[in-house]
């Protein structure tokens, strides 16, 4: 499925490395650009389906946090809301559709800087009439409820009658699953269409308003039409608009979306009537404003909130590298519901139905580092989400016979608890669906949340967060682990049996190294903070003691923590067993499955039961442990394990390559690291047209940032200490980025042989850090340290 | 939307007037042929979507009687079951799709005789390779659970790799409404795919099995592939099959469908496990049989059950007339669940989502006459359905404060009662949805059922039916009417106020003539049978008395029946007021709305509230009264009313033209009648490509038969007496058909000046009938009466 449709080098001058281009249209390969060109603002996300429709398209609009469950044998998911993009355009009686007629020129571009999607086409209709057509679109970062579309149509060689059918279509589903009851449809002021839909089980009202404005060249014109209501649909059939040769018809379609789950309604009383009125008033305001003016506010918001506040520049001989990190930042902005601490990031962002909008460890391990270092406020909101889901985590612990907070492998709404689906793809041997065990036994998510909490705290020193949420999270997770440990009489150790570690090709294993080590770490941290709180924050200590029975829990920690089995490197080759049995399993030739074009191809030959018995890994496992707790293991052990596990790792998970890249940096293998970085960057970008069909790979985009800043940029928090030891690959001339540390902002510029660190702000008087093993202190604002490597 | 895509004259020799042809492909105009080419067997019906998919298609598979309700603000409807037609075919890497590449020849035909749908295409792929492709398809009338498909692909000028993706896709919805919970997906014997889906509220299990067989030319071949399961989907991706130039690849796809609502499970105990096993065993049997052999059984069933048992021949100078009546018979067979008396005919048959599979008066007034005269067993089953829905009719009466059986305007499952939706299309004045009042006040359906019951009885003399169902239906409906009548003190009459008559453009009217007369008739008939039963069937009388309190009800009838207001012709012009106010309303120029291309166009200028105040009718109203109770009114009155109402009737209902045709025959205006017959025939056939989008017009097809047999054929039952007085339009040379009468079969042959009636059977020794006013008696088998007109 490789081809040369995608171009990454079309931006020039001030657009250089800001532009991603689809250079040809192919209706068999719509998924990639629908996903990677998706727009959003964290409140909502929309796949980049086209105005006109195609058979293999996927039209998705998701509003963050609006989960609904369709049936008792399914799990909750983000419902696919009404399609408001859709426009049927007839040009002299012929539907505009790129599978008909002839395409003379075609270019669709995502401008990352302005977060604008544009299509320019010269199209010849089936009767040989030529038209220049340009589509533009944005989802406002300035006004979270607003979607703007604009179409310009010029008839090149004929006069034309242009017919538009457009409105709101709520017949959309999640692959056939309808989450909504149909609500009222109304036309207001002969101009504003309104449609209500309400999720069936969670009873969330969605209100959509949409309207059209028409211009001939720059002159506003009135267009008359017939209002129509079908099932779950309200739309206008506009009467033909006459367009003279060389005139341009401009159609602006402005839409807003509000829901009863909007944060406002946590505080103010809700009624559908009020929501409908409010949304209509908002519609009237934006209608007066018009597309261009709304778009300006939007692009200014991107400049201010993203590009000026978190700039990263890479001077590379491969300019794509600069684009790749911007692409990652773009999507991390688009996918993140920074406005609402009841919501988190889905594993496919808001760009597709994949993973149902659920939050995984992807947030804590792969995405949160970006926000912790670049936008601590958002990082805090994402962690507050985990705090807010404690009811669900407690429920899951209880259901499983444990104590404390057992975070769900897949997480949705606050009280939901575990929402991992139970059945997956076909088992080629049994002919049945394969059972998904992650929701039952992939338990490391709990220590992942604990680790991220601590990491956030260490980087930000946000004591307010810790007092309100952080300490409790650390204690409650450790409480879970203490209850989870199993005593092994023979070994006189605590074991953690029957789990899945990060490597999901090994189910029902005992003592997954990553799980055991991070559980141990979690309890150790809890003990440390137990003492701290008891001594320095007595009131908080008492509150927590009351809430989670801290004293008794502490006793349990103390009794068990040093008896937890922590797998050690084998003497003969320093390999740490990934779990109790991995090293004893059969080895097979994995060559044909290691090809990145063949992600998941192992399952064409083996079922999961068989895969469980082969020394093959889906993704980084021990390597993630090395990354998180890097000072526990020395270089020799890391190398030995790399040598053993890397050849057995298929990188069938998009979470894998970036971890390996950072590890390769740690081991000083920058050539390998750069190669892994490039491969990670090409999971969503690159030439493969099928990999993003179900949505962008959220964690992988966080991983790209990790490659750049944690890997080549050498930024790491180690035991509360900042370390900045950049080492650039030979392709890079310079790397520049900002990081937040203890409330201050540091600017880091690295070249092949010099690193310069500038303290741009002065919240704290002094910042201590280690650079290439040397301890330095930055004191005043604009204090600069340049060091030779 | 008129064009010359449709051809009705392509059948030659023994296919003459059996073939309907779509001669060009246009992906903007898919609805018509999807509907008119739909296949079925009464158990299920399937729209004629194509194997490959198009944006504006509608893929529907309905199984009769499997109603489900999606949400509390909707009504129950027939759910759109899994799509099993779908096949994605790739030819040397290019998807077969008629919007791509070049079509060198195209022809899609429905063969009415064999009930087979065939497509033949010569297609050039986008890279210039030519293929001959032929698709065939049937839904078995021999085995109600079976769907067969066959594809033949010949590469004309190259060797070709052919890839097939095909299976069962249960992501289908009713315009976005998902009625099913996803059930298990399984692959058996590496070959048979099974998918289960279960309606969410009514808990009906559907089990689908499908498999593929491959041949090169006539040689069976094995094809290997990868089994895949997505959400609500199970399918094979077959590995490419190499085809040499000029070789033909044959793909047969056989599917079966079973549900827990199948009649078997009324008697035997049901479990999903058993159903799944049974359906798999059935699949294995048909797999052994193969397409051709299964198809032969199917086409033989059509010959035996339809064409030999109910032949109608029309020798006309317009050969289309013969095709039109066959088309009507074809669809009346396809749409009618003759196998199960818990089911009835939907207003769009099983050919589209329109009217949700609901049964209207369309059955009794427009479709039942065909079955009564041609296939009394099926007619009886359809009436038994009404008897079986008495629980719903009682519920409706009670809810409305009445007694007896108040049949729902729209009817679905047995206990449902009224299922008419409450909201309709956009009101162009208020901007809101228009309220549909029929479910509340369109009440003549109750006397329509009574009339049909009586008509069936008079034609068949099926005393068994009457004793089990018929008398009770007549009594219980009359009981409703007696409770419904309203005393008007001023007029000292019983009125029926606030109704909708057959003409739905007049809501909330008082004393709709059709309603009052048929209610009167209904009570009169009940009184007549009250006496009969009391005297001759004492036991039954006592049962009914107990069941519906007959004695008291009779008293009520007697007190009221002769005081019912029956609108009389006005003295000045003999016009019968359609209701109390019709004749006083404003008249407007209706010319632009009378055009058959513009059905419903009145609502582009007026809303329903305004239409209610204009002298305009949607459809025949008084005319239906003249048709049912023809001997109550003399020719002069009929003519006067025709003259008054016909110009005001837009025929916006497809039920209208055929009634007017029969009336025109009664009035002796055969030129007008023939014109109306032609227009009625062209509602689904003809050149308009949009009229059938939501499904075929079931009642209109019954109407075509009525035009032929009741109209030109002059067959009528009048007060229990058979009358056969044919009069052919000048375009017809001869008309020949069979009718059932009192258990015997009569063959009628009419020419311009002679009618010949042959008694083909001898159940009754003598049949008395009136021919052109002359009473005759047919005695022996093969007794012939030829009469000069």
């Amino acid at each position: 499925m490789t081809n040369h449709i995608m171009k990454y080098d079309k931006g020039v001058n001030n657009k250089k490395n800001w532009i991603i281009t689809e250079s040809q249209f192919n209706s068999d390969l719509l998924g990639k650009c629908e996903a990677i060109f998706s727009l959003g603002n964290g409140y909502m996300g929309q796949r980049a389906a086209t105005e006109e429709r195609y058979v293999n398209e996927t039209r998705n609009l998701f509003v963050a946090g609006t989960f609904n469950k369709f049936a008792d044998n399914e799990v909750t998911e983000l419902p696919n809301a009404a399609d408001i993009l859709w426009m049927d355009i007839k040009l002299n009686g012929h539907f505009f559709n790129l599978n008909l007629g002839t395409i003379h020129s075609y270019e669709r571009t995502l401008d990352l800087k302005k977060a604008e999607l544009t299509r320019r086409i010269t199209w010849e209709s089936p009767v040989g009439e030529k038209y220049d057509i340009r589509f533009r679109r944005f989802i406002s970062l300035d006004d979270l409820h607003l979607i703007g579309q604009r179409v310009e149509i010029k008839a090149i060689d004929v006069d034309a009658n242009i017919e538009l059918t457009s409105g709101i279509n709520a017949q959309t589903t999640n692959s056939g699953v309808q989450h909504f009851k149909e609500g009222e449809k109304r036309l207001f002021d002969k101009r504003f269409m309104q449609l209500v839909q309400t999720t069936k089980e969670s009873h969330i009202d969605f209100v959509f308003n949409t309207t059209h404005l028409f211009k001939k060249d720059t002159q506003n014109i009135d267009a008359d039409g017939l209002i129509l209501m079908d099932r779950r649909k309200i739309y206008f059939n506009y009467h033909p608009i006459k367009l003279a040769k060389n005139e341009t018809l401009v159609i602006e379609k402005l839409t807003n979306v509000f829901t009863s789950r909007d944060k406002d309604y946590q505080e103010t009383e809700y009624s559908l009537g009020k929501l409908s009125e409010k949304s209509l008033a908002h519609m009237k305001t934006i209608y007066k404003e018009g597309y261009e003016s709304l778009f300006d506010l939007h692009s200014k918001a991107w400049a201010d909130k993203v590009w000026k506040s978190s700039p990263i520049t890479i001077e590379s001989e491969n300019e794509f590298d600069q684009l790749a990190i911007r692409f990652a930042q773009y999507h991390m902005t688009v996918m993140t519901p920074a406005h609402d601490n009841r919501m988190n990031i889905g594993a496919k962002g808001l760009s597709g139905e994949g993973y149902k909008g659920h939050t995984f460890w992807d947030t804590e391990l792969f995405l949160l580092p970006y926000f912790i270092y670049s936008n601590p406020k958002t990082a805090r909101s994402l962690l507050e989400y985990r705090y807010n889901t404690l009811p669900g985590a407690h429920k899951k612990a209880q259901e499983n016979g444990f104590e404390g907070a057992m975070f769900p492998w897949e997480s949705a709404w606050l009280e939901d608890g575990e929402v991992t689906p139970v059945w997956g793809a076909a088992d080629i041997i049994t002919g049945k669906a394969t059972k998904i065990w992650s929701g039952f036994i992939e338990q490391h998510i709990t220590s992942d949340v604990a680790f991220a909490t601590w990491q956030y705290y260490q980087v930000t020193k946000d004591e307010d967060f810790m007092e309100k949420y952080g300490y409790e999270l650390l204690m409650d997770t450790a409480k879970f682990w203490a209850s989870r440990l199993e005593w092994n009489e023979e070994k006189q150790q605590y074991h953690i049996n029957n789990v899945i570690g990060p490597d999901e090709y090994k189910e029902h294993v005992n003592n997954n190294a990553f799980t055991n080590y991070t559980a141990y770490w979690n309890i150790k941290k809890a003990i440390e903070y137990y003492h701290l709180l008891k001594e320095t924050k007595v009131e908080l200590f008492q509150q927590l003691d009351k809430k989670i029975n801290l004293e008794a829990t502490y006793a349990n920690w103390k009794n068990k923590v040093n008896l937890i089995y922590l797998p050690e490197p084998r003497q003969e080759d320093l390999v740490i067993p990934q779990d109790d049995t991995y090293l004893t399993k059969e080895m097979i030739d994995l060559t044909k499955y290691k090809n990145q074009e063949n992600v998941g191809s192992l399952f064409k030959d083996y079922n999961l039961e068989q895969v469980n018995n082969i020394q093959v890994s889906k993704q980084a496992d021990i390597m993630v442990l090395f990354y998180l707790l890097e000072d526990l293991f020395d270089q020799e052990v890391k190398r030995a394990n790399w040598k053993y596990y890397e050849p057995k790792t298929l990188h069938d998970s998009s979470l894998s390559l970036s971890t390996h890249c950072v590890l390769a940096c740690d081991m000083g293998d920058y050539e390998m690291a750069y190669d892994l970085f490039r491969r990670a960057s090409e999971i969503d970008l690159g030439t493969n047209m099928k990999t993003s069909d179900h949505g962008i790979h959220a964690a992988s985009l966080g991983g790209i940032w990790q490659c750049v800043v944690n890997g080549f940029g050498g930024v790491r928090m180690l035991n509360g200490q900042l370390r900045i030891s950049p080492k650039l690959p030979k392709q890079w001339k310079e790397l520049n980025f900002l990081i937040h540390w203890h409330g201050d902002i540091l600017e880091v510029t690295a070249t092949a042989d010099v690193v310069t660190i500038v303290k741009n702000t002065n919240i704290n008087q002094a910042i201590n850090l280690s650079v290439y093993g040397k301890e330095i202190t930055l004191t005043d604002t604009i204090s600069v340290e340049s060091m030779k490597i």
Side-chain angles (χ1 to χ4, degrees), chain A residues 271-419:
Chain A
S271 81
L272 175 56
K274 274 194 235 167
L275 184 66
S276 156
E277 270 173 44
K278 174 181 164 178
S279 72
L280 183 62
H282 176 270
M283 170 49 66
K284 289 177 181 175
T285 310
I286 60 176
Y287 174 72
K288 272 186 207 144
E289 204 74 28
Y291 184 94
E292 294 296 357
S293 153
L294 296 164
F295 178 73
D296 288 346
L297 292 169
H298 157 75
S299 58
K300 187 168 179 312
W302 271 88
D304 294 345
K305 293 183 186 172
V306 186
W307 306 121
K308 284 182 197 161
S309 71
S310 317
I312 303 177
T313 55
I314 301 172
E315 275 187 53
S316 169
E317 63 184 47
N318 297 316
E319 299 207 328
F320 175 80
D321 299 343
Q322 174 70 69
L323 185 80
I325 186 67
R326 283 174 178 157
F327 176 76
Q329 287 182 281
Y330 168 84
H331 273 294
M332 284 192 282
T333 306
V334 155
M335 72 173 75
T336 303
H339 62 293
D340 194 328
N341 67 0
R342 299 168 303 162
M343 298 166 191
N344 206 297
I345 304 170
K348 299 285 186 190
L350 298 163
S351 69
E353 291 175 23
Y355 297 118
K356 300 174 184 294
H358 295 171
T359 296
F360 293 66
W361 74 321
D362 304 39
T363 294
E364 279 72 18
L365 271 274
F366 297 88
L367 290 154
L368 207 60
Y370 169 68
F371 291 106
I372 290 177
Y373 285 104
S374 311
N375 187 344
K377 195 160 155 266
T378 297
R380 174 171 169 156
S381 180
L382 292 167
L383 285 166
E384 285 177 16
Y385 164 82
R386 288 293 188 186
Y387 184 87
N388 289 330
T389 63
L390 278 174
H394 291 148
K395 187 170 86 175
K396 184 173 177 186
Q398 275 158 30
E399 284 167 2
N400 285 273
F402 303 122
E403 296 176 353
M406 184 184 191
F407 279 101
W409 177 245
E410 298 188 20
S411 185
W413 195 241
L414 311 179
E415 308 83 12
D416 286 338
E418 186 56 69
V419 295

Side-chain angles (χ1 to χ4, degrees), chain A residues 472-516:
Chain A
E472 187 177 338
L473 277 170
L474 283 167
M475 304 293 172
D476 218 2
T477 47
K479 186 177 179 182
F480 161 70
W481 282 120
S483 77
R484 174 66 181 82
L485 297 170
E486 298 166 59
W487 181 245
N488 184 305
E489 191 59 36
E490 188 193 330
K491 299 270 175 86
Q492 293 286 305
Q493 286 172 330
Y494 282 103
H495 286 190
I496 303 176
N497 296 326
N498 191 26
V499 298
I500 300 174
D503 171 14
E504 295 179 332
Y505 288 172
K506 293 293 158 283
E507 297 176 332
H508 305 295
V509 298
N510 296 341
N511 298 309
N512 167 259
F514 180 87
T515 306
N516 284 27

Side-chain angles (χ1 to χ4, degrees), chain A residues 185-187 227-235:
Chain A
K185 293 162 288 194
R186 281 290 295 277
L187 180 69
I227 182 71
L228 292 165
M229 294 179 195
D230 288 346
R231 195 169 192 182
R232 298 175 169 265
K233 219 170 167 181
I234 178 169
Y235 57 104

Side-chain angles (χ1 to χ4, degrees), chain A residues 413-525:
Chain A
W413 195 241
L414 311 179
E415 308 83 12
D416 286 338
E418 186 56 69
V419 295
T420 306
V422 177
W423 299 105
D427 180 322
I428 56 156
I429 308 295
T430 65
K432 298 185 185 181
T434 304
K435 183 159 183 180
I436 300 172
W437 282 99
S438 297
F440 303 99
I441 57 172
E442 191 156 357
Q443 295 165 357
H444 62 81
I445 175 69
T446 293
S447 35
D448 303 334
V449 171
F451 186 87
T453 300
W454 178 73
Q455 187 186 32
Y456 169 77
Y457 178 40
Q458 294 306 312
V459 175
T460 62
K461 281 294 162 203
D462 183 349
E463 199 62 44
D464 178 69
F465 166 80
M466 287 304 286
E467 291 181 2
K468 285 184 179 141
Y469 315 106
Y471 293 120
E472 187 177 338
L473 277 170
L474 283 167
M475 304 293 172
D476 218 2
T477 47
K479 186 177 179 182
F480 161 70
W481 282 120
S483 77
R484 174 66 181 82
L485 297 170
E486 298 166 59
W487 181 245
N488 184 305
E489 191 59 36
E490 188 193 330
K491 299 270 175 86
Q492 293 286 305
Q493 286 172 330
Y494 282 103
H495 286 190
I496 303 176
N497 296 326
N498 191 26
V499 298
I500 300 174
D503 171 14
E504 295 179 332
Y505 288 172
K506 293 293 158 283
E507 297 176 332
H508 305 295
V509 298
N510 296 341
N511 298 309
N512 167 259
F514 180 87
T515 306
N516 284 27
Y517 272 97
T518 57
Y520 169 82
W521 176 92
N522 193 351
I523 297 176
K524 279 283 188 190
K525 269 299 157 213

